[in-house]
Amino acid sequence: MSDNQISVSYNQILTLDASPNITLAIKREDLLHKHISGNKFRKLKYNLEQAKFLEHHALLTFGGAYSNHIAAVAAAGKEYGFKTIGVIRGDELASSIDQNPTLAFAQSCGMQFDFVSRDDYKHKESSAFVSYLQQKWGAFYLIPEGGTNTLAVQGAQEILINQDASYDYICCAVGTGGTISGLIHSAFSHQKILGFPALKGDFLTAEICKFAPTGNWELISGYEFGGYAKVTAELIKFMNDFYQKTQVQLDPIYTAKMVFGVTDLISKGYFENDAKILMIHTGGLQGIQGMNQVLKQKKLPLIVTND
């Protein structure tokens, strides 16, 4: 990174078999960076530049036990010279860092942790809680949970480039709403953005509207598979079959649910003949190891990996 700038030049798209009348492709944002993958790279790009500009030396952010965002911030801190602090939901996790692949990785990157109770975590955005963190950790650049803010949306706008103008639909998973907001801003006038929420709830529309206009987008519910970070044997089988056919690994929290949803909609005739669909792979593969631990405990099928 030179001074305050982070650059990326990457655009790998894989066309998939869908139906005789549909063009289906997946944009491999997961290949942007080994550890700061997919939309996390996009969301962090301008936040890191701003932190450098403001001469901050520490980044503080929030996340759960298997958070892609925590892993990405830790890796970014190591690569770009920031101290990193992760406020982690669940004080019971403090004694089992080495048993958690995400937290162990973040710690290996130099991240320090502040484990807080789940009740305290609910107040993480309050001025009183942020003040407490400042007193404890000193000055820091604060990045919200999931990374979504105005600068993150600015970064996500760069996912689509001129070569993507041939597609009619742009599909992505939705967590905090930052990525889809960026896509809404950068989509071409003829394109429609379809977002597939990874968690249940009606609050996402309001969150997205904070950053993006109404109009060329829609949220498609019904593919949450029980809610955030929940999976079923059906989803795992879909992921493993998809990997076998395409050699593309999907993550179980976000992209797999979106890809399942898109392929299901194709089978149900949702898209018009000759539609061209581009799915955005937003990364998150680091979470597979932790998910497989959970699946093993529940005696469910495991996610096949390329390791």
Side-chain angles (χ1 to χ4, degrees):
M1 182 172 66
S2 62
D3 293 336
N4 300 317
Q5 294 187 337
I6 300 171
S7 62
V8 61
S9 177
Y10 191 87
N11 192 51
Q12 180 173 325
I13 292 177
L14 176 66
T15 302
L16 308 169
D17 291 330
S19 76
N21 301 315
I22 300 287
T23 297
L24 180 65
I26 187 165
K27 187 163 188 170
R28 299 293 308 276
E29 288 281 293
D30 58 307
L31 299 178
L32 275 176
H33 189 285
K34 183 177 181 180
H35 299 301
I36 317 168
S37 140
N39 65 339
K40 299 308 178 188
F41 187 101
R42 303 292 188 179
K43 288 181 173 185
L44 287 173
K45 175 181 175 180
Y46 290 110
N47 275 289
L48 296 180
E49 290 185 7
Q50 181 71 354
K52 285 279 187 182
F53 176 76
L54 296 175
E55 298 184 345
H56 279 284
H57 302 290
L59 310 173
L60 182 142
T61 195
F62 309 88
Y66 300 102
S67 167
N68 295 326
H69 176 66
I70 287 292
V73 170
K78 180 179 180 181
E79 183 158 334
Y80 297 118
F82 292 97
K83 171 185 175 181
T84 55
I85 304 143
V87 180
I88 308 300
R89 180 179 65 250
D91 49 3
E92 75 280 1
L93 297 169
S95 61
S96 57
I97 294 174
D98 58 342
Q99 300 170 35
N100 181 297
T102 300
L103 297 181
F105 169 77
Q107 187 177 64
S108 74
C109 292
M111 177 173 274
Q112 296 175 274
F113 299 122
D114 193 337
F115 294 93
V116 300
S117 70
R118 295 172 190 277
D119 285 338
D120 288 343
Y121 193 84
K122 295 176 183 178
H123 306 289
K124 62 184 180 298
E125 296 178 355
S126 70
S127 57
F129 191 72
V130 173
S131 178
Y132 153 76
L133 292 172
Q134 289 170 333
Q135 291 174 14
K136 180 174 181 178
W137 294 101
F140 54 74
Y141 181 86
L142 191 150
I143 301 175
E145 182 178 32
T148 292
N149 58 16
T150 301
L151 291 173
V153 173
Q154 181 183 347
Q157 287 180 227
E158 298 177 354
I159 293 174
L160 293 180
I161 59 176
N162 289 337
Q163 290 96 307
D164 302 328
S166 62
Y167 294 96
D168 305 304
Y169 295 90
I170 309 297
C171 302
C172 71
V174 181
T176 55
T179 300
I180 190 173
S181 296
L183 293 171
I184 291 165
H185 279 288
S186 60
F188 296 88
S189 59
H190 65 279
Q191 293 177 326
K192 184 170 184 179
I193 311 299
L194 300 182
F196 292 76
L199 60 166
K200 292 183 176 181
D202 298 327
F203 63 93
L204 279 173
T205 297
E207 288 298 308
I208 295 166
C209 286
K210 291 178 183 178
F211 299 103
T214 57
N216 65 332
W217 59 278
E218 179 182 355
L219 294 182
I220 307 291
S221 59
Y223 298 101
E224 301 87 359
F225 287 88
Y228 181 72
K230 295 183 179 180
V231 299
T232 65
E234 180 186 21
L235 182 65
I236 301 305
K237 183 179 185 305
F238 173 82
M239 292 175 62
N240 290 339
D241 289 347
F242 188 86
Y243 177 64
Q244 183 178 21
K245 293 174 183 176
T246 67
Q247 292 302 295
V248 176
Q249 187 86 66
L250 304 176
D251 86 284
I253 309 300
Y254 294 103
T255 302
K257 295 180 178 182
M258 178 270 295
V259 175
F260 184 101
V262 172
T263 55
D264 187 55
L265 291 178
I266 290 173
S267 71
K268 293 177 178 177
Y270 177 91
F271 299 100
E272 67 274 15
N273 284 340
D274 300 322
K276 296 182 177 180
I277 307 164
L278 180 62
M279 305 182 293
I280 309 298
H281 193 319
T282 50
L285 301 183
Q286 70 83 29
I288 291 177
Q289 188 177 356
M291 178 60 75
N292 272 342
Q293 289 181 345
V294 175
L295 293 173
K296 188 174 183 179
Q297 291 173 358
K298 294 183 176 181
K299 298 183 179 179
L300 289 171
L302 301 185
I303 300 166
V304 175
T305 69
N306 55 12
D307 295 334

